[in-house]
Each structure stands twice: as C-alpha cells, then as structure tokens.
Amino acid sequence: MILYTIPILSQLETVMKHVLLWFHTTLHLPWAWAIVGTTVVVRMLLVPLTIKQIHSMQSLQKHAPQMKEIQKKYKGDKQKQNEELMKFYRENQINPAASCLPMLLQLPVFIALYYTLKHFNSNFPTAAHENLSFLHFIPNITVSTTAVWGGYVLLVVYVGSQMASTLFMAATADKTQRVIFMLMPLFFVFVIARFPAGLVLYWVTTNLWTVGQGLITRRLVAKTPAPTVERRSSRTPPKDDGSSGNGASLEAPPPTPAPSASQRPRQVRRKKKRTSRR
C-alpha cells in the first residue's frame, strides 16, 4: 500500500507492536485481550480530553438559542456569520473543536493497529502457533472479519455499540443530525467488515467504553436544562417594552388626586315650600 511508505506510519506500527508485545509477555494476556487492554489504556489517557469534550457539548447546548439567532440574523452573509460565531465563541469561552479531539487522537491508534494486524506474522514470528482466538467464536483475530461466522456476531455487536455510543455523544445535536449519526454505522459496517477481526474488536471495546462513560457522566454531571422557547399564539398580546413605534413612551396617565374639602362645590339645599291647609 502506498500510504505505508510514509515513515510515520511504520513508526506507529512499531510502537503498537511493542505495546501489544508488552501486554502479551508481561501480563500474559492472549493476543485478543492484549488489544482490549491497549484500548482501555488509550481511553484512560484520553479521559481529560473527554471531560473537556463533555463540557464543550454542554456549553454548546446552553448557548444554542443565541447561536441560532446569529445564524438567522446573518444567514445571507456566511462570512459575517462565521465571524460573529467565532466572536461569540471567544466571549463565552466555547471551544467547538474540543468535541472532536478524542476521536482525532484515536485515529493514529486505529491505523497503527491495522498495519500491526496486517503484518502480524512478520511482526510476531513466534506467535504463529499461539492462541489467536477471542472467546472461542473468533478463531483468528488477524483474518478478515467476515471470514468466520463469529465475525458476523462481532459486526452486530459493533453496530449496536456504535448506535448506543452515538446516543451519548450526539445528545446536543438536533433531531436530523442524530438520525444521520444513528444510520452511519449501518453504512460503515460494509467497510469495516473487510478489516481484521482484531481491529473491529478494538472499535467495539471503544464503543462500550463510551457507553459506560456516558452512563457514569449522566449520574455525576448535572444535566444542562434544555432552552425554553416561548410559544405565542394569535391571542397572546404583544409584550410592552416601554416604547412605541415613534419612540414615544407608552406610560399610563397619573391618577387624578381627590379634591380637597375647600375645593369641593357647595351643595345648595332648596327649601321645601309649605302648603297651607284650608
């Protein structure tokens, strides 16, 4: 493969080879569980960035109404819209890129593991006669996932775990985006099915970690309340902001003071005429 000629890729493979070998020889783990152990260590190292990711997602959810107002106000000028959004991010200390960092930092690990499994026999010559199975339903983690029947079971677990992790990672997205994120594993499964089974095992472990992390986060971190939008009907009177259309203040007239006793008009009593009796 042409990409493998890039020096950094071969260096990543060398690092992954030593990591797996340490888990296998020092901790005496089978090769499949060495991949699981590597995944757990990687996710533990990413915990600080994951916390920032959670805070960033909560901040985006909190300021979603203001950002939608900016997008609506400058929908005809994309450049001005981006400038105002970046200014809004700086003023409110929001970092949208924080939500993507954990995923981006896992990409080199994914590539390194792919090439390590692809060149497994040359990287570990003495491992040809060792146990390469996982839970006895995948006999060899270095072969293609669809080469054995257990690989299809692993793909089903991958799709389910990916959808479950998406529920936690895309909690702040709107309904359309969440539907797209939920359907992506169904299309991506046809690509990942050609990878070695050990690589799919790595991704399933990552998804299960994300699900467990999301469950713990929901218990420990206070949930950000959803922004409330005032619903107005045709019968709802408009709010009085203290100014009319021509700039004049709409104030109620002051109450008229009660007249004093001296200012009250005199009431003249008319005498009744006496009628004489005859």
Side-chain angles (χ1 to χ4, degrees), residues 97-159:
S99 59
C100 304
L101 284 177
M103 183 64 66
L104 292 177
L105 292 179
Q106 287 184 85
L107 187 59
V109 181
F110 186 83
I111 296 174
L113 184 59
Y114 169 78
Y115 284 109
T116 303
L117 292 174
K118 186 177 182 180
H119 307 138
F120 191 85
N121 292 331
S122 59
N123 287 326
F124 311 103
T126 59
H129 303 287
E130 295 183 13
N131 182 19
L132 298 179
S133 65
F134 176 70
L135 297 180
H136 303 290
F137 71 93
I138 297 179
N140 193 333
I141 59 173
T142 64
V143 299
S144 176
T145 306
T146 55
V148 293
W149 69 269
Y152 292 96
V153 177
L154 192 62
L155 289 176
V156 173
V157 177
Y158 159 76
V159 173

Short mmCIF file of all heavy atoms in Angstrom, two decimals, residues 97-159:
data_model
loop_
_atom_site.label_atom_id
_atom_site.label_comp_id
_atom_site.label_asym_id
_atom_site.label_seq_id
_atom_site.Cartn_x
_atom_site.Cartn_y
_atom_site.Cartn_z
N ALA A 97 -13.92 22.68 18.81
CA ALA A 97 -13.00 21.60 18.42
C ALA A 97 -12.76 20.61 19.54
O ALA A 97 -12.28 19.50 19.30
CB ALA A 97 -11.67 22.19 17.96
N ALA A 98 -13.11 20.98 20.78
CA ALA A 98 -12.87 20.07 21.91
C ALA A 98 -13.69 18.80 21.80
O ALA A 98 -13.30 17.75 22.32
CB ALA A 98 -13.19 20.78 23.22
N SER A 99 -14.83 18.86 21.12
CA SER A 99 -15.67 17.67 20.97
C SER A 99 -15.12 16.68 19.96
O SER A 99 -15.57 15.53 19.91
CB SER A 99 -17.09 18.08 20.57
OG SER A 99 -17.06 18.80 19.35
N CYS A 100 -14.14 17.10 19.15
CA CYS A 100 -13.59 16.21 18.12
C CYS A 100 -12.21 15.67 18.49
O CYS A 100 -11.74 14.73 17.83
CB CYS A 100 -13.48 16.96 16.79
SG CYS A 100 -15.05 17.66 16.20
N LEU A 101 -11.56 16.25 19.49
CA LEU A 101 -10.19 15.84 19.81
C LEU A 101 -10.06 14.37 20.20
O LEU A 101 -9.15 13.68 19.71
CB LEU A 101 -9.64 16.74 20.92
CG LEU A 101 -9.23 18.15 20.50
CD1 LEU A 101 -8.77 18.95 21.71
CD2 LEU A 101 -8.14 18.11 19.44
N PRO A 102 -10.91 13.82 21.08
CA PRO A 102 -10.75 12.39 21.42
C PRO A 102 -10.83 11.48 20.20
O PRO A 102 -10.07 10.50 20.10
CB PRO A 102 -11.89 12.13 22.40
CG PRO A 102 -12.18 13.46 23.01
CD PRO A 102 -11.96 14.44 21.89
N MET A 103 -11.73 11.79 19.27
CA MET A 103 -11.86 10.96 18.08
C MET A 103 -10.64 11.09 17.16
O MET A 103 -10.15 10.09 16.61
CB MET A 103 -13.12 11.34 17.32
CG MET A 103 -13.40 10.50 16.09
SD MET A 103 -13.72 8.77 16.49
CE MET A 103 -15.26 8.93 17.38
N LEU A 104 -10.13 12.30 17.02
CA LEU A 104 -8.97 12.51 16.15
C LEU A 104 -7.73 11.85 16.71
O LEU A 104 -6.91 11.30 15.96
CB LEU A 104 -8.74 14.01 15.96
CG LEU A 104 -9.80 14.77 15.15
CD1 LEU A 104 -9.47 16.25 15.10
CD2 LEU A 104 -9.91 14.21 13.73
N LEU A 105 -7.57 11.88 18.03
CA LEU A 105 -6.38 11.28 18.63
C LEU A 105 -6.43 9.76 18.61
O LEU A 105 -5.38 9.12 18.77
CB LEU A 105 -6.22 11.78 20.07
CG LEU A 105 -5.88 13.27 20.22
CD1 LEU A 105 -5.78 13.65 21.69
CD2 LEU A 105 -4.57 13.60 19.49
N GLN A 106 -7.59 9.18 18.43
CA GLN A 106 -7.69 7.72 18.31
C GLN A 106 -7.37 7.23 16.90
O GLN A 106 -7.13 6.04 16.71
CB GLN A 106 -9.10 7.26 18.70
CG GLN A 106 -9.38 7.33 20.18
CD GLN A 106 -10.74 6.76 20.51
OE1 GLN A 106 -10.90 5.56 20.69
NE2 GLN A 106 -11.73 7.64 20.58
N LEU A 107 -7.40 8.13 15.94
CA LEU A 107 -7.15 7.72 14.56
C LEU A 107 -5.75 7.14 14.35
O LEU A 107 -5.61 6.09 13.69
CB LEU A 107 -7.38 8.91 13.63
CG LEU A 107 -7.33 8.64 12.12
CD1 LEU A 107 -8.39 7.60 11.75
CD2 LEU A 107 -7.55 9.93 11.34
N PRO A 108 -4.67 7.73 14.90
CA PRO A 108 -3.35 7.09 14.75
C PRO A 108 -3.29 5.71 15.38
O PRO A 108 -2.62 4.81 14.84
CB PRO A 108 -2.40 8.07 15.46
CG PRO A 108 -3.11 9.39 15.43
CD PRO A 108 -4.56 9.05 15.55
N VAL A 109 -3.98 5.51 16.51
CA VAL A 109 -4.01 4.19 17.15
C VAL A 109 -4.70 3.19 16.24
O VAL A 109 -4.26 2.04 16.09
CB VAL A 109 -4.70 4.27 18.51
CG1 VAL A 109 -4.72 2.90 19.20
CG2 VAL A 109 -4.02 5.30 19.40
N PHE A 110 -5.80 3.61 15.63
CA PHE A 110 -6.55 2.75 14.72
C PHE A 110 -5.69 2.33 13.53
O PHE A 110 -5.65 1.15 13.15
CB PHE A 110 -7.80 3.50 14.25
CG PHE A 110 -8.73 2.69 13.41
CD1 PHE A 110 -9.67 1.85 14.00
CD2 PHE A 110 -8.70 2.76 12.03
CE1 PHE A 110 -10.54 1.10 13.22
CE2 PHE A 110 -9.56 2.02 11.25
CZ PHE A 110 -10.48 1.19 11.85
N ILE A 111 -4.97 3.30 12.95
CA ILE A 111 -4.11 3.00 11.79
C ILE A 111 -2.96 2.09 12.20
O ILE A 111 -2.61 1.13 11.47
CB ILE A 111 -3.59 4.31 11.18
CG1 ILE A 111 -4.77 5.13 10.62
CG2 ILE A 111 -2.58 4.03 10.08
CD1 ILE A 111 -4.37 6.51 10.11
N ALA A 112 -2.35 2.37 13.35
CA ALA A 112 -1.22 1.56 13.81
C ALA A 112 -1.65 0.11 14.05
O ALA A 112 -0.93 -0.84 13.68
CB ALA A 112 -0.63 2.16 15.08
N LEU A 113 -2.82 -0.08 14.66
CA LEU A 113 -3.30 -1.43 14.92
C LEU A 113 -3.64 -2.15 13.62
O LEU A 113 -3.43 -3.37 13.50
CB LEU A 113 -4.52 -1.38 15.84
CG LEU A 113 -5.10 -2.71 16.29
CD1 LEU A 113 -4.06 -3.54 17.03
CD2 LEU A 113 -6.32 -2.50 17.17
N TYR A 114 -4.15 -1.41 12.65
CA TYR A 114 -4.49 -2.03 11.35
C TYR A 114 -3.25 -2.63 10.70
O TYR A 114 -3.26 -3.79 10.27
CB TYR A 114 -5.12 -0.98 10.44
CG TYR A 114 -5.28 -1.42 9.02
CD1 TYR A 114 -6.31 -2.29 8.64
CD2 TYR A 114 -4.38 -1.00 8.03
CE1 TYR A 114 -6.44 -2.72 7.33
CE2 TYR A 114 -4.51 -1.41 6.72
CZ TYR A 114 -5.53 -2.28 6.36
OH TYR A 114 -5.66 -2.69 5.06
N TYR A 115 -2.17 -1.87 10.63
CA TYR A 115 -0.95 -2.37 9.99
C TYR A 115 -0.26 -3.43 10.84
O TYR A 115 0.36 -4.36 10.30
CB TYR A 115 0.02 -1.21 9.70
CG TYR A 115 -0.40 -0.38 8.52
CD1 TYR A 115 -0.88 0.91 8.68
CD2 TYR A 115 -0.31 -0.89 7.23
CE1 TYR A 115 -1.27 1.68 7.59
CE2 TYR A 115 -0.68 -0.13 6.12
CZ TYR A 115 -1.17 1.15 6.31
OH TYR A 115 -1.56 1.89 5.23
N THR A 116 -0.39 -3.33 12.15
CA THR A 116 0.21 -4.36 13.01
C THR A 116 -0.47 -5.71 12.81
O THR A 116 0.20 -6.75 12.75
CB THR A 116 0.11 -3.93 14.48
OG1 THR A 116 0.75 -2.66 14.66
CG2 THR A 116 0.79 -4.96 15.38
N LEU A 117 -1.79 -5.71 12.69
CA LEU A 117 -2.52 -6.95 12.44
C LEU A 117 -2.32 -7.44 11.01
O LEU A 117 -2.27 -8.66 10.77
CB LEU A 117 -4.01 -6.74 12.72
CG LEU A 117 -4.39 -6.50 14.19
CD1 LEU A 117 -5.86 -6.15 14.31
CD2 LEU A 117 -4.05 -7.71 15.04
N LYS A 118 -2.20 -6.53 10.09
CA LYS A 118 -1.99 -6.92 8.70
C LYS A 118 -0.64 -7.61 8.52
O LYS A 118 -0.51 -8.57 7.74
CB LYS A 118 -2.09 -5.69 7.80
CG LYS A 118 -2.02 -6.01 6.32
CD LYS A 118 -2.18 -4.75 5.48
CE LYS A 118 -2.15 -5.08 4.00
NZ LYS A 118 -2.31 -3.86 3.16
N HIS A 119 0.38 -7.14 9.23
CA HIS A 119 1.72 -7.74 9.16
C HIS A 119 2.02 -8.53 10.44
O HIS A 119 3.14 -8.50 10.95
CB HIS A 119 2.77 -6.64 8.96
CG HIS A 119 2.50 -5.74 7.81
ND1 HIS A 119 2.68 -4.37 7.85
CD2 HIS A 119 2.04 -6.01 6.55
CE1 HIS A 119 2.36 -3.83 6.68
NE2 HIS A 119 1.97 -4.81 5.88
N PHE A 120 1.00 -9.20 10.95
CA PHE A 120 1.13 -9.87 12.24
C PHE A 120 2.19 -10.96 12.20
O PHE A 120 2.99 -11.10 13.13
CB PHE A 120 -0.22 -10.46 12.65
CG PHE A 120 -0.26 -10.94 14.07
CD1 PHE A 120 -0.52 -10.07 15.12
CD2 PHE A 120 -0.03 -12.28 14.37
CE1 PHE A 120 -0.54 -10.51 16.43
CE2 PHE A 120 -0.04 -12.73 15.68
CZ PHE A 120 -0.30 -11.84 16.72
N ASN A 121 2.22 -11.75 11.16
CA ASN A 121 3.16 -12.88 11.09
C ASN A 121 4.60 -12.39 11.03
O ASN A 121 5.50 -13.02 11.61
CB ASN A 121 2.86 -13.76 9.88
CG ASN A 121 1.52 -14.47 10.03
OD1 ASN A 121 1.09 -14.77 11.15
ND2 ASN A 121 0.86 -14.75 8.91
N SER A 122 4.83 -11.28 10.35
CA SER A 122 6.20 -10.75 10.29
C SER A 122 6.57 -9.99 11.57
O SER A 122 7.74 -9.97 11.97
CB SER A 122 6.35 -9.82 9.08
OG SER A 122 5.43 -8.74 9.16
N ASN A 123 5.59 -9.38 12.21
CA ASN A 123 5.89 -8.66 13.46
C ASN A 123 6.11 -9.62 14.62
O ASN A 123 6.93 -9.34 15.50
CB ASN A 123 4.73 -7.72 13.79
CG ASN A 123 4.68 -6.50 12.88
OD1 ASN A 123 5.71 -6.00 12.45
ND2 ASN A 123 3.47 -6.03 12.59
N PHE A 124 5.35 -10.71 14.65
CA PHE A 124 5.46 -11.69 15.74
C PHE A 124 5.65 -13.08 15.13
O PHE A 124 4.68 -13.86 15.02
CB PHE A 124 4.22 -11.66 16.62
CG PHE A 124 3.82 -10.27 17.06
CD1 PHE A 124 2.76 -9.62 16.45
CD2 PHE A 124 4.51 -9.62 18.07
CE1 PHE A 124 2.38 -8.36 16.87
CE2 PHE A 124 4.15 -8.35 18.48
CZ PHE A 124 3.08 -7.71 17.87
N PRO A 125 6.87 -13.43 14.70
CA PRO A 125 7.08 -14.72 14.03
C PRO A 125 6.77 -15.91 14.93
O PRO A 125 6.31 -16.96 14.44
CB PRO A 125 8.57 -14.68 13.66
CG PRO A 125 8.93 -13.24 13.69
CD PRO A 125 8.08 -12.63 14.75
N THR A 126 6.99 -15.78 16.23
CA THR A 126 6.77 -16.91 17.14
C THR A 126 5.31 -17.07 17.54
O THR A 126 4.96 -18.05 18.22
CB THR A 126 7.60 -16.73 18.42
OG1 THR A 126 7.22 -15.51 19.07
CG2 THR A 126 9.09 -16.67 18.09
N ALA A 127 4.44 -16.15 17.11
CA ALA A 127 3.04 -16.21 17.51
C ALA A 127 2.18 -17.01 16.55
O ALA A 127 0.96 -17.08 16.72
CB ALA A 127 2.47 -14.79 17.63
N ALA A 128 2.80 -17.63 15.55
CA ALA A 128 2.02 -18.36 14.55
C ALA A 128 1.29 -19.55 15.16
O ALA A 128 0.19 -19.90 14.71
CB ALA A 128 2.94 -18.82 13.41
N HIS A 129 1.89 -20.16 16.17
CA HIS A 129 1.28 -21.35 16.78
C HIS A 129 0.63 -21.02 18.14
O HIS A 129 0.32 -21.95 18.90
CB HIS A 129 2.34 -22.44 16.96
CG HIS A 129 3.01 -22.81 15.68
ND1 HIS A 129 2.40 -23.55 14.69
CD2 HIS A 129 4.27 -22.53 15.23
CE1 HIS A 129 3.24 -23.72 13.68
NE2 HIS A 129 4.38 -23.11 13.98
N GLU A 130 0.43 -19.76 18.45
CA GLU A 130 -0.18 -19.37 19.72
C GLU A 130 -1.68 -19.15 19.55
O GLU A 130 -2.22 -19.21 18.44
CB GLU A 130 0.50 -18.11 20.27
CG GLU A 130 1.96 -18.31 20.62
CD GLU A 130 2.58 -17.06 21.23
OE1 GLU A 130 1.81 -16.14 21.59
OE2 GLU A 130 3.83 -17.00 21.32
N ASN A 131 -2.32 -18.90 20.66
CA ASN A 131 -3.77 -18.70 20.66
C ASN A 131 -4.10 -17.31 20.12
O ASN A 131 -3.76 -16.29 20.74
CB ASN A 131 -4.32 -18.87 22.08
CG ASN A 131 -5.83 -18.73 22.13
OD1 ASN A 131 -6.51 -18.84 21.11
ND2 ASN A 131 -6.36 -18.49 23.32
N LEU A 132 -4.78 -17.27 18.98
CA LEU A 132 -5.17 -16.00 18.35
C LEU A 132 -6.69 -15.83 18.35
O LEU A 132 -7.21 -14.98 17.62
CB LEU A 132 -4.65 -15.93 16.92
CG LEU A 132 -3.13 -15.97 16.75
CD1 LEU A 132 -2.76 -15.92 15.27
CD2 LEU A 132 -2.46 -14.81 17.49
N SER A 133 -7.40 -16.61 19.15
CA SER A 133 -8.86 -16.55 19.14
C SER A 133 -9.36 -15.55 20.18
O SER A 133 -8.61 -15.07 21.04
CB SER A 133 -9.45 -17.93 19.45
OG SER A 133 -9.10 -18.33 20.79
N PHE A 134 -10.65 -15.26 20.07
CA PHE A 134 -11.31 -14.38 21.04
C PHE A 134 -12.63 -15.02 21.43
O PHE A 134 -13.53 -15.20 20.60
CB PHE A 134 -11.56 -12.99 20.44
CG PHE A 134 -12.32 -12.08 21.36
CD1 PHE A 134 -11.74 -11.58 22.52
CD2 PHE A 134 -13.63 -11.72 21.07
CE1 PHE A 134 -12.45 -10.75 23.37
CE2 PHE A 134 -14.35 -10.89 21.91
CZ PHE A 134 -13.75 -10.40 23.07
N LEU A 135 -12.71 -15.42 22.70
CA LEU A 135 -13.90 -16.04 23.28
C LEU A 135 -14.37 -17.25 22.47
O LEU A 135 -15.56 -17.58 22.45
CB LEU A 135 -15.04 -15.02 23.40
CG LEU A 135 -14.76 -13.83 24.34
CD1 LEU A 135 -15.97 -12.90 24.36
CD2 LEU A 135 -14.44 -14.30 25.75
N HIS A 136 -13.47 -17.88 21.76
CA HIS A 136 -13.69 -19.14 21.05
C HIS A 136 -14.65 -19.03 19.85
O HIS A 136 -14.82 -20.02 19.13
CB HIS A 136 -14.22 -20.23 22.00
CG HIS A 136 -13.30 -20.48 23.16
ND1 HIS A 136 -12.07 -21.08 23.03
CD2 HIS A 136 -13.45 -20.20 24.49
CE1 HIS A 136 -11.49 -21.17 24.21
NE2 HIS A 136 -12.29 -20.64 25.11
N PHE A 137 -15.30 -17.88 19.64
CA PHE A 137 -16.16 -17.79 18.45
C PHE A 137 -15.47 -17.04 17.30
O PHE A 137 -15.98 -17.01 16.18
CB PHE A 137 -17.51 -17.13 18.78
CG PHE A 137 -17.43 -15.66 19.07
CD1 PHE A 137 -17.64 -14.74 18.06
CD2 PHE A 137 -17.17 -15.20 20.35
CE1 PHE A 137 -17.58 -13.39 18.32
CE2 PHE A 137 -17.13 -13.86 20.62
CZ PHE A 137 -17.33 -12.94 19.61
N ILE A 138 -14.31 -16.45 17.58
CA ILE A 138 -13.46 -15.91 16.52
C ILE A 138 -12.12 -16.63 16.64
O ILE A 138 -11.33 -16.35 17.54
CB ILE A 138 -13.27 -14.38 16.68
CG1 ILE A 138 -14.61 -13.67 16.52
CG2 ILE A 138 -12.27 -13.85 15.65
CD1 ILE A 138 -14.54 -12.18 16.67
N PRO A 139 -11.83 -17.56 15.74
CA PRO A 139 -10.62 -18.37 15.89
C PRO A 139 -9.33 -17.61 15.65
O PRO A 139 -8.28 -17.98 16.19
CB PRO A 139 -10.82 -19.48 14.85
CG PRO A 139 -11.76 -18.91 13.86
CD PRO A 139 -12.65 -17.98 14.59
N ASN A 140 -9.38 -16.54 14.83
CA ASN A 140 -8.15 -15.83 14.49
C ASN A 140 -8.48 -14.34 14.32
O ASN A 140 -9.28 -13.97 13.46
CB ASN A 140 -7.54 -16.39 13.20
CG ASN A 140 -6.11 -15.92 12.99
OD1 ASN A 140 -5.72 -14.85 13.45
ND2 ASN A 140 -5.33 -16.72 12.27
N ILE A 141 -7.86 -13.49 15.13
CA ILE A 141 -8.15 -12.06 15.08
C ILE A 141 -7.41 -11.35 13.96
O ILE A 141 -7.65 -10.17 13.70
CB ILE A 141 -7.77 -11.38 16.42
CG1 ILE A 141 -6.28 -11.59 16.72
CG2 ILE A 141 -8.65 -11.88 17.55
CD1 ILE A 141 -5.78 -10.82 17.93
N THR A 142 -6.54 -12.06 13.24
CA THR A 142 -5.78 -11.42 12.17
C THR A 142 -6.44 -11.58 10.81
O THR A 142 -6.05 -10.89 9.86
CB THR A 142 -4.36 -11.99 12.11
OG1 THR A 142 -4.42 -13.40 11.77
CG2 THR A 142 -3.66 -11.82 13.44
N VAL A 143 -7.45 -12.45 10.69
CA VAL A 143 -8.10 -12.66 9.40
C VAL A 143 -9.23 -11.65 9.24
O VAL A 143 -9.61 -10.94 10.18
CB VAL A 143 -8.65 -14.10 9.29
CG1 VAL A 143 -7.50 -15.10 9.41
CG2 VAL A 143 -9.69 -14.36 10.38
N SER A 144 -9.79 -11.61 8.04
CA SER A 144 -10.90 -10.71 7.77
C SER A 144 -12.09 -11.05 8.66
O SER A 144 -12.33 -12.21 8.99
CB SER A 144 -11.30 -10.79 6.30
OG SER A 144 -12.43 -9.98 6.04
N THR A 145 -12.85 -10.02 9.03
CA THR A 145 -13.95 -10.22 9.97
C THR A 145 -15.01 -11.16 9.42
O THR A 145 -15.58 -11.98 10.16
CB THR A 145 -14.59 -8.87 10.32
OG1 THR A 145 -13.57 -7.97 10.78
CG2 THR A 145 -15.64 -9.02 11.42
N THR A 146 -15.28 -11.07 8.12
CA THR A 146 -16.32 -11.91 7.52
C THR A 146 -15.79 -13.28 7.09
O THR A 146 -16.54 -14.04 6.46
CB THR A 146 -16.92 -11.19 6.31
OG1 THR A 146 -15.88 -10.82 5.39
CG2 THR A 146 -17.66 -9.93 6.74
N ALA A 147 -14.55 -13.60 7.42
CA ALA A 147 -14.00 -14.90 7.03
C ALA A 147 -14.54 -16.02 7.89
O ALA A 147 -14.51 -17.19 7.49
CB ALA A 147 -12.47 -14.87 7.09
N VAL A 148 -15.03 -15.71 9.08
CA VAL A 148 -15.57 -16.71 10.01
C VAL A 148 -16.95 -16.26 10.45
O VAL A 148 -17.29 -15.07 10.41
CB VAL A 148 -14.64 -16.90 11.23
CG1 VAL A 148 -13.31 -17.53 10.80
CG2 VAL A 148 -14.37 -15.56 11.93
N TRP A 149 -17.76 -17.22 10.92
CA TRP A 149 -19.12 -16.88 11.32
C TRP A 149 -19.15 -15.98 12.55
O TRP A 149 -20.05 -15.14 12.71
CB TRP A 149 -19.92 -18.15 11.59
CG TRP A 149 -19.45 -18.91 12.81
CD1 TRP A 149 -18.51 -19.90 12.86
CD2 TRP A 149 -19.91 -18.71 14.15
NE1 TRP A 149 -18.35 -20.34 14.15
CE2 TRP A 149 -19.19 -19.64 14.97
CE3 TRP A 149 -20.83 -17.88 14.76
CZ2 TRP A 149 -19.37 -19.72 16.34
CZ3 TRP A 149 -21.02 -17.95 16.13
CH2 TRP A 149 -20.30 -18.86 16.90
N GLY A 150 -18.16 -16.14 13.43
CA GLY A 150 -18.10 -15.29 14.61
C GLY A 150 -17.88 -13.82 14.28
O GLY A 150 -18.23 -12.94 15.07
N GLY A 151 -17.30 -13.56 13.11
CA GLY A 151 -17.10 -12.18 12.70
C GLY A 151 -18.41 -11.44 12.49
O GLY A 151 -18.51 -10.23 12.78
N TYR A 152 -19.43 -12.13 12.01
CA TYR A 152 -20.75 -11.50 11.82
C TYR A 152 -21.38 -11.15 13.17
O TYR A 152 -22.05 -10.12 13.29
CB TYR A 152 -21.66 -12.43 11.03
CG TYR A 152 -21.22 -12.62 9.60
CD1 TYR A 152 -20.44 -13.72 9.22
CD2 TYR A 152 -21.58 -11.70 8.62
CE1 TYR A 152 -20.02 -13.90 7.90
CE2 TYR A 152 -21.17 -11.87 7.29
CZ TYR A 152 -20.40 -12.96 6.95
OH TYR A 152 -19.99 -13.13 5.64
N VAL A 153 -21.14 -12.01 14.17
CA VAL A 153 -21.63 -11.68 15.52
C VAL A 153 -20.94 -10.42 16.03
O VAL A 153 -21.56 -9.53 16.63
CB VAL A 153 -21.40 -12.86 16.47
CG1 VAL A 153 -21.85 -12.50 17.89
CG2 VAL A 153 -22.13 -14.10 15.98
N LEU A 154 -19.63 -10.34 15.77
CA LEU A 154 -18.87 -9.16 16.21
C LEU A 154 -19.35 -7.90 15.49
O LEU A 154 -19.40 -6.82 16.10
CB LEU A 154 -17.38 -9.39 15.96
CG LEU A 154 -16.41 -8.40 16.61
CD1 LEU A 154 -16.53 -8.45 18.12
CD2 LEU A 154 -14.98 -8.71 16.18
N LEU A 155 -19.74 -8.02 14.22
CA LEU A 155 -20.24 -6.86 13.49
C LEU A 155 -21.59 -6.40 14.04
O LEU A 155 -21.86 -5.20 14.09
CB LEU A 155 -20.38 -7.21 12.00
CG LEU A 155 -19.07 -7.37 11.22
CD1 LEU A 155 -19.36 -7.82 9.79
CD2 LEU A 155 -18.26 -6.09 11.23
N VAL A 156 -22.43 -7.36 14.44
CA VAL A 156 -23.72 -6.98 15.06
C VAL A 156 -23.48 -6.23 16.36
O VAL A 156 -24.12 -5.21 16.65
CB VAL A 156 -24.59 -8.23 15.28
CG1 VAL A 156 -25.84 -7.87 16.08
CG2 VAL A 156 -24.98 -8.85 13.94
N VAL A 157 -22.52 -6.73 17.16
CA VAL A 157 -22.19 -6.05 18.42
C VAL A 157 -21.62 -4.66 18.12
O VAL A 157 -21.90 -3.69 18.85
CB VAL A 157 -21.20 -6.89 19.23
CG1 VAL A 157 -20.79 -6.15 20.51
CG2 VAL A 157 -21.81 -8.23 19.58
N TYR A 158 -20.84 -4.56 17.05
CA TYR A 158 -20.27 -3.26 16.68
C TYR A 158 -21.37 -2.26 16.35
O TYR A 158 -21.35 -1.11 16.83
CB TYR A 158 -19.33 -3.41 15.48
CG TYR A 158 -19.11 -2.12 14.74
CD1 TYR A 158 -18.29 -1.12 15.26
CD2 TYR A 158 -19.77 -1.88 13.53
CE1 TYR A 158 -18.11 0.07 14.58
CE2 TYR A 158 -19.60 -0.69 12.85
CZ TYR A 158 -18.77 0.29 13.38
OH TYR A 158 -18.60 1.48 12.72
N VAL A 159 -22.34 -2.66 15.53
CA VAL A 159 -23.42 -1.74 15.14
C VAL A 159 -24.22 -1.31 16.37
O VAL A 159 -24.52 -0.12 16.55
CB VAL A 159 -24.33 -2.41 14.09
CG1 VAL A 159 -25.55 -1.54 13.81
CG2 VAL A 159 -23.57 -2.65 12.80
#
